[in-house]
Amino acid sequence: MASNPDLFPDMERMAAVEDLVTARLADARSQYRQRPALPEPPTQSWFDNLADFDFEHPQDLQPLLDWSIDALETGMVHTTHPHHIGLFNPAPTFPAECADRLVNAYNPQVCFWSAAPKLVAIEEHVLRQVAQRAGLPRQTAGHFTSGGSEANATALWCALTAVEPRFGQDGVAAFAGPPVIYTSCESHLAWVKLAHTTGLGRNAVRLVATDGHGRMDTLALEREIQTDLSLGHVPVLIAATAGTTNAGMIDPLSACADLAEAYGMWCHVDAAWAGALIASPTRRAALAGMERAHSVTIDGHKWFAMTMGAGMILVTRPEILEQTFDIDTMYMPDDEGSTNYYRTSTQWSRRFVGLRMFLSLANAGWSGYAAHVDHAIALIDRLVDTLTKAGWHLANESPAAVACLVPPEGPESVDRYLTAALEQGGFWISKAKLDGVPMLRFCVTNGRTQATDIDTLAQFLKSQMYETA
Ligand SMILES: *Cc1c(COP(=O)(O)O)cnc(C)c1O
């Protein structure tokens, strides 16, 4: 007898419910184009309904699943909709979905080798292959993270530990002066909260100016480093961005590596989204210089289209990872000499995230990912081509699949287009600001988006133009 038959039903019952879930998911998937890309705002009666779950009265699972599916259907932005031309959140690959389903059933613990040796080896293999594809040196090590934010945090902790070996014992006070970090004003601004939570303080972040094209201005960067040195600050980290959130721009990665080398700093490349360009033989040159970084962030759950919670941090000096996260405990098994992620990362209990990337890469190959990346770029090029011919202005020249466009009526009309696209057009698009100027931002993240979807979007936007004949 199980402790509780609701929590641990018998095999027959589980199989029956699972079949039902599979059927419901198949039905939901078949609706991916019909359902609105946007969520319905929750009504008062829905909130009342939610509040009624006081957890005092056990209920049947089947209607609960139906209720949950309904919340998912109507309560979220659907990245699986081909008209989601949105932020970097993807429609997940099918192999990644399968991986999650398998991992859910087994629930392995991959934080130490002897708990799951084959699974740890699979993750290590995937990370090595990704590092190699990114041109990073042989000894590169890393791990899966909850996302780009944890990966970037890991880079910061490594930078502090590498630049001041006493940081681990004495904290920020170990530095000869206040440590400072550099990233561009177009970077993912999570760096600011990382500086806060790491104890550097928000003022430790230098948001370096861009060069007029959304890329870090490395002359301005060097000037700031010199000013900081003259003030007794300690430059610790250059965090270059490869694929800015607004405009998909890539900082001058080699120049950043040169400066980091010259001033004894850690060089990190945040390629959370655009890191997927490594897959494409014709596009990867855009990331040249990334191979010189000390650490690189690539998110699986961005352009690699993993389910959520699949970041990667790659570190070319594995001994720094060990120094940063090492800990000896009485209760963990003695797995000396093998990979123990709890001793090289901030997570302890660890989900087997790597199977998603393993199955996706093994199933589609790098060539499959190259096609995925090239397809998205071709669609964005197509949209840019149509709209610029109609008088729109392209404000970014990204080598990746994101375009920032200003409507012919000017930046003041951006909100009008945005509302129309969301409310009447059924498209989920976003807004960006470059150098203070608002614009519409288009990013293809869904492998099922097709040229006809892009043409429908372009047609819709053109129909909203005042001067349309
Ligand atoms: C998405 C993103 C992040 C944050 O990553 P999460 O996975 O959302 O934590 C950081 N940097 C860049 C460039 C990103 O695109």
Side-chain angles (χ1 to χ4, degrees):
M1 267 294 274
S3 61
N4 176 292
D6 287 324
L7 299 179
F8 305 98
D10 63 33
M11 301 302 140
E12 214 174 305
R13 168 91 186 124
M14 287 203 291
V17 173
E18 216 151 28
D19 286 349
L20 189 97
V21 170
T22 303
R24 289 278 336 240
L25 284 180
D27 184 47
R29 285 207 183 93
S30 72
Q31 301 293 316
Y32 73 98
R33 220 169 239 290
Q34 280 75 35
R35 72 158 88 85
L38 274 67
E40 291 170 6
T43 58
Q44 189 52 50
S45 79
W46 188 88
F47 279 117
D48 293 345
N49 192 221
L50 177 64
D52 285 342
F53 288 103
D54 59 6
F55 307 143
E56 296 294 346
H57 309 92
Q59 301 183 21
D60 278 349
L61 181 57
Q62 226 150 291
L64 288 171
L65 290 173
D66 286 336
W67 187 88
S68 305
I69 289 175
D70 191 55
L72 286 159
E73 275 293 317
T74 60
M76 58 176 275
V77 172
H78 287 289
T79 55
T80 54
H81 198 300
H83 290 183
H84 179 266
I85 316 288
L87 298 174
F88 293 150
N89 312 123
T93 72
F94 186 60
E97 283 190 55
C98 292
D100 273 341
R101 204 159 169 174
L102 299 186
V103 171
N104 285 343
Y106 288 89
N107 200 30
Q109 166 66 288
V110 294
C111 82
F112 64 102
W113 174 263
S114 60
K118 290 185 180 172
L119 314 189
V120 172
I122 290 171
E123 288 206 337
E124 281 192 289
H125 177 73
V126 171
L127 291 161
R128 259 199 310 272
Q129 294 291 320
V130 171
Q132 193 181 334
R133 186 84 183 180
L136 294 166
R138 270 188 78 81
Q139 78 277 7
T140 301
H143 50 263
F144 283 91
T145 62
S146 59
S149 301
E150 185 199 327
N152 287 345
T154 301
L156 175 57
W157 297 323
C158 285
L160 290 162
T161 305
V163 171
E164 176 46 73
R166 290 187 306 120
F167 170 72
Q169 294 304 320
D170 299 333
V172 175
F175 285 88
V180 283
I181 67 176
Y182 304 83
T183 192
S184 93
C185 57
E186 280 293 320
S187 71
H188 194 277
L189 293 178
W191 292 106
V192 175
K193 84 177 174 183
L194 285 178
H196 180 144
T197 50
T198 309
L200 303 183
R202 292 176 183 240
N203 291 337
V205 184
R206 303 283 178 266
L207 294 176
V208 180
T210 48
D211 62 358
H213 301 280
R215 296 173 298 224
M216 179 137 61
D217 176 348
T218 47
L219 290 175
L221 169 61
E222 185 160 25
R223 275 196 303 275
E224 295 220 29
I225 294 172
Q226 286 174 349
T227 305
D228 282 324
L229 284 171
S230 71
L231 293 170
H233 294 301
V234 182
V236 167
L237 166 72
I238 298 175
T241 309
T244 57
T245 311
N246 269 327
M249 300 308 293
I250 297 177
D251 288 341
L253 304 179
S254 256
C256 288
D258 287 341
L259 287 173
E261 206 173 287
Y263 291 94
M265 304 165 75
W266 186 273
C267 181
H268 175 70
V269 173
D270 179 2
W273 173 64
L277 289 175
I278 60 172
S280 170
T282 55
R283 316 269 180 187
R284 59 201 289 194
L287 299 171
M290 185 167 80
E291 70 287 350
R292 295 180 55 201
H294 294 107
S295 55
V296 173
T297 290
I298 299 178
D299 256 351
H301 64 219
K302 299 276 178 72
W303 212 350
F304 276 102
M306 296 298 99
T307 49
M308 291 284 227
M312 288 173 276
I313 180 72
L314 302 167
V315 178
T316 60
R317 293 175 58 189
E319 78 282 5
I320 298 294
L321 273 179
E322 284 164 25
Q323 279 170 33
T324 305
F325 296 105
D326 196 25
I327 187 124
D328 223 349
T329 57
M330 316 263 276
Y331 48 86
M332 296 299 280
D334 184 13
D335 278 350
E336 214 55 59
S338 34
T339 299
N340 292 301
Y341 289 125
Y342 80 96
R343 296 180 80 158
T344 56
S345 73
T346 187
Q347 291 183 23
W348 205 286
S349 286
R350 172 174 278 284
R351 185 177 168 87
F352 183 29
V353 166
L355 187 64
R356 307 170 193 171
M357 282 286 284
F358 175 80
L359 284 181
S360 300
L361 276 168
N363 188 202
W366 284 112
S367 61
Y369 268 103
H372 173 64
V373 162
D374 290 342
H375 176 73
I377 294 173
L379 292 183
I380 285 297
D381 287 350
R382 186 183 180 97
L383 180 70
V384 167
D385 192 49
T386 311
L387 290 179
T388 48
K389 280 188 185 131
W392 291 57
H393 170 70
L394 177 68
N396 69 328
E397 266 165 47
S398 169
V402 62
C404 296
L405 288 152
V406 184
E409 298 89 342
E412 313 72 46
S413 63
V414 162
D415 284 334
R416 179 172 67 79
Y417 278 99
L418 188 67
T419 309
L422 296 178
E423 290 177 5
Q424 293 136 47
F427 282 90
W428 200 93
I429 58 175
S430 63
K431 191 166 114 171
K433 264 190 186 173
L434 294 183
D435 293 321
V437 180
M439 45 197 80
L440 291 167
R441 181 184 173 286
F442 304 91
C443 177
V444 171
T445 58
N446 184 338
R448 288 196 174 86
T449 299
Q450 296 166 14
T452 50
D453 297 307
I454 293 300
D455 294 346
T456 307
L457 173 59
Q459 213 46 53
F460 176 80
L461 292 169
K462 290 205 291 188
S463 76
Q464 301 297 307
M465 284 163 56
Y466 284 147
E467 71 262 40
T468 304

